Amino acid sequence: MSITNSAASFSDDSTPRLGFDGVGPDEFKAVFRHHAAGVSLITADNGSGPAALTATSVFSVSAEPPIFVFSISSSSSTAPVITTADTLVVHILDADRLDLAKLGATSGVDRFADTSAWSRLSTGEPVFTGVSTWIRGRVINRMEAGNSTIIAVHALETSQTAGDAGGREHGAPLVYHNRTWHSLGTHSALDS
């Protein structure tokens, strides 16, 4: 038996209209636990000091112009910095950088305490070392959505590791699914 809920309600004339009634937060989160997502670490500094958070909400919107978006919860301790910064860096994490994903997801820690793990770009944004891919961008739009802010970013600069001493171009992507970290690789490829 399958149960579905709908956010549509009906007026007296039986015309459907969208409202804010619908599934509850626990049910909504449970459904999205089945949606695997790539893991990124977002860093920024609005002038009050660097901030970092782990996000699974980053996705590309347009190649021309190059725009991507992500969301951040208003309850995040980094929200005051991330939501007001003019520029930021999104680190696309490989599985071998699970340490950074955990760092950005842990509350109450100084994510920048290890000064050997990060530096600043010439433009001022904090960037972590040892990450194979990152994108620096300028915030072009912000939109409040529920208890989160959706941030649209125009990509200004990218960095991709060409290869390391072992000939590796990029590591296996880090993915979050059902409250667990995963690594994608040839073992997880499906025949098409």
Side-chain angles (χ1 to χ4, degrees), residues 158-174:
T158 64
S159 175
Q160 296 186 64
T161 304
D164 60 18
R168 182 191 84 155
E169 287 187 24
H170 297 282
L174 180 60

Side-chain angles (χ1 to χ4, degrees), residues 49 64 74 84 90 101 130 132 139 156 160 163-164 172 179:
E64 291 185 35
S74 59
T84 60
V90 173
S132 65
V139 174
L156 301 173
Q160 296 186 64
D164 60 18
R179 299 182 181 181

Side-chain angles (χ1 to χ4, degrees), residues 70-137:
F70 69 92
S71 65
I72 178 171
S73 170
S74 59
S75 65
S76 169
S77 62
T78 62
V81 173
I82 301 288
T83 60
T84 60
D86 292 328
T87 59
L88 49 81
V89 175
V90 173
H91 305 70
I92 309 295
L93 298 180
D94 292 341
D96 63 358
R97 293 315 317 255
L98 177 59
D99 62 317
L100 286 181
K102 289 180 176 180
L103 179 68
T106 303
S107 298
V109 299
D110 181 355
R111 296 176 177 118
F112 295 90
D114 182 357
T115 56
S116 67
W118 68 281
S119 62
R120 289 191 183 269
L121 298 174
S122 62
T123 49
E125 299 88 357
V127 63
F128 279 88
T129 58
V131 176
S132 65
T133 305
W134 55 258
I135 306 167
R136 181 178 75 86

Side-chain angles (χ1 to χ4, degrees), residues 2-107:
S2 175
I3 299 173
T4 59
N5 288 319
S6 172
S9 60
F10 293 87
S11 63
D12 290 338
D13 64 357
S14 298
T15 304
R17 66 173 192 255
L18 293 179
F20 287 100
D21 294 332
V23 300
D26 292 338
E27 181 181 1
F28 190 72
K29 289 187 277 187
V31 167
F32 271 91
R33 277 190 214 108
H34 297 284
H35 180 66
V39 180
S40 299
L41 182 76
I42 300 171
T43 58
D45 189 341
N46 67 353
S48 64
L53 80 138
T54 299
T56 57
S57 61
V58 177
F59 64 93
S60 65
V61 174
S62 169
E64 291 185 35
I67 297 172
F68 63 91
V69 299
F70 69 92
S71 65
I72 178 171
S73 170
S74 59
S75 65
S76 169
S77 62
T78 62
V81 173
I82 301 288
T83 60
T84 60
D86 292 328
T87 59
L88 49 81
V89 175
V90 173
H91 305 70
I92 309 295
L93 298 180
D94 292 341
D96 63 358
R97 293 315 317 255
L98 177 59
D99 62 317
L100 286 181
K102 289 180 176 180
L103 179 68
T106 303
S107 298

